[in-house]
Amino acid sequence: IAQRQFTLNGVNWYEIGVRAVIGNYDMYQVYYLGDNGVLDAHIYARGLQCNVNHLHYPNWRVDFDLDGPANDRI
């Protein structure tokens, strides 16, 4: 797990990320939270080179507990 704070174009950002190695893939999934209310997410990957044309579709689930923890699911 990695975390850092930085300023870019006058916006203060908090970064929290997780690195995972799965087989030949080396991935870094990261969330950027700006003090202007922006939430940004990315996945960076390297490793396995595939000669087949394919796409990866990352999906994120964010639970802000607006109704409380009663509806939490694991």
Side-chain angles (χ1 to χ4, degrees):
I1 296 178
Q3 63 181 16
R4 71 179 177 129
Q5 295 178 359
F6 61 95
T7 302
L8 181 64
N9 297 327
V11 178
N12 295 313
W13 293 93
Y14 179 74
E15 172 185 332
I16 185 165
V18 177
R19 181 177 177 217
V21 177
I22 302 171
N24 291 324
Y25 280 110
D26 185 357
M27 297 183 294
Y28 182 60
Q29 180 175 326
V30 62
Y31 299 91
Y32 298 103
L33 296 95
D35 66 357
N36 60 356
V38 172
L39 169 65
D40 196 7
H42 293 268
I43 293 180
Y44 300 97
R46 66 180 178 176
L48 183 65
Q49 299 295 319
C50 182
N51 293 327
V52 177
N53 187 13
H54 68 285
L55 299 172
H56 293 258
Y57 295 100
N59 294 283
W60 289 273
R61 180 181 299 177
V62 180
D63 181 0
F64 292 106
D65 275 335
L66 297 177
D67 291 332
N71 294 322
D72 284 357
R73 300 285 185 266
I74 297 176

